[in-house]
Amino acid sequence: MSFEERHTHVSIAGSPLHVVETGDPRGRPVLFLHGWPESWRTWRGVMETAGKDARLLAIDLPGVGDSTGPAPDGSKLHLAGVVHKLVQSLGLTGLTLVGHDAGGMIAYAYLRRYGAARVVIMNTVIPGVPPWKDVLANPYIWHFGFHAVPALPETLVRGRQAAYFDYFYDVLSVDPARITPESRRAHAAAYERETALTAGFDLYRAFPQDARDNAALAEAGPVDTPLLYLRGDGEGGDLTAYSRGLREAGVQRLTTALVPGVGHFAQEEAPARIWQLIDEFTR
């Protein structure tokens, strides 16, 4: 049977959220959250690889792509609340929540506020959780500061989304050719609207609030939800530092894996390997 995508819009707080679903509607649910500068399309290879026995769902984050309603302020806790309403609306029990980049930050906020059966966080640092301060101090991560400036990124990037996004795909991937032209076009199109550009940059503008929120959530005590943290070995960064930070923040059941031969966009660089790791974790 050929790969089939089912596209729907689910109204969450009066705003349409674009949901793409594949697999068995009665299967174990896995919900994917993309990061920046991406859209649901970043998960297509993983979803195509996965086969038919799981219920796989990916969304465009609020304000991005075909989720055309007004975006929240970029707060990961607020976005986690939107995701939670979607989970309730769709009746996703026994959920595995998978987040990459900013989507991983949302998945962490979701874990701390709402809980899930399992959570997978990929290729990201969590605001306020070590090595957060080291990442902020790294000049290689210059775009964190630039994207947080009010209005300026929109002014400079508007109309140049494809070229600007290509820079990150090319620099942060081990083999940039694995981020296909089709995928690049889809991601650029998802941020064509001015409001979508702002929704993306607001993810960065909310980092100080995210760090405060995560500190407050940690005061509630440890969590025992199983968490899998994945990082491409070509991205850099010490995996043990990320592991140590998550444990210090109260994540008690942590598994980590370094994915060989990939960089930041691991789900597009090696979709079969990423699904294998997620699939093993969810069984």
Side-chain angles (χ1 to χ4, degrees), residues 197-209:
L197 264 182
T198 295
F201 293 134
D202 278 350
L203 295 169
Y204 295 83
R205 293 166 182 147
F207 283 169
Q209 182 62 52

Side-chain angles (χ1 to χ4, degrees), residues 27-106:
R28 52 200 167 96
V30 181
L31 175 60
F32 297 100
L33 307 177
H34 67 82
W36 185 94
E38 297 163 289
S39 63
W40 81 268
R41 178 65 171 70
T42 195
W43 299 108
R44 193 178 192 278
V46 174
M47 297 168 79
E48 189 170 11
T49 297
K52 305 297 182 184
D53 66 333
R55 182 182 183 184
L56 308 173
L57 307 99
I59 67 170
D60 283 328
L61 292 181
V64 174
D66 287 332
S67 293
T68 54
D73 60 5
S75 155
K76 309 311 173 294
L77 194 55
H78 191 160
L79 289 164
V82 174
V83 173
H84 184 58
K85 290 176 183 176
L86 175 69
V87 169
Q88 291 180 313
S89 176
L90 297 179
L92 303 179
T93 58
L95 174 69
T96 297
L97 185 62
V98 181
H100 172 261
D101 187 78
M105 299 177 185
I106 298 167

Side-chain angles (χ1 to χ4, degrees), residues 50-201:
K52 305 297 182 184
D53 66 333
R55 182 182 183 184
L56 308 173
L57 307 99
I59 67 170
D60 283 328
L61 292 181
V64 174
D66 287 332
S67 293
T68 54
D73 60 5
S75 155
K76 309 311 173 294
L77 194 55
H78 191 160
L79 289 164
V82 174
V83 173
H84 184 58
K85 290 176 183 176
L86 175 69
V87 169
Q88 291 180 313
S89 176
L90 297 179
L92 303 179
T93 58
L95 174 69
T96 297
L97 185 62
V98 181
H100 172 261
D101 187 78
M105 299 177 185
I106 298 167
Y108 180 81
Y110 191 103
L111 164 68
R112 299 300 314 222
R113 172 57 63 88
Y114 303 106
R118 289 160 296 273
V119 172
V120 181
I121 294 175
M122 295 175 51
N123 297 85
T124 196
V125 63
I126 304 301
V129 175
W132 175 246
K133 291 182 179 179
D134 294 335
V135 171
L136 291 183
N138 184 351
Y140 186 66
I141 315 296
W142 58 269
H143 60 287
F144 276 30
F146 172 56
H147 292 175
V149 177
L152 181 62
E154 287 92 330
T155 300
L156 298 180
V157 175
R158 185 188 306 115
R160 304 176 181 87
Q161 286 92 325
Y164 187 62
F165 295 174
D166 277 349
Y167 168 83
F168 294 94
Y169 304 139
D170 293 343
V171 168
L172 299 179
S173 303
V174 170
D175 180 2
R178 296 181 187 175
I179 316 297
T180 66
E182 294 79 10
S183 184
R184 293 173 186 239
R185 284 194 294 269
H187 297 330
Y191 294 85
E192 281 183 348
R193 301 187 314 276
E194 178 78 9
T195 53
L197 264 182
T198 295
F201 293 134

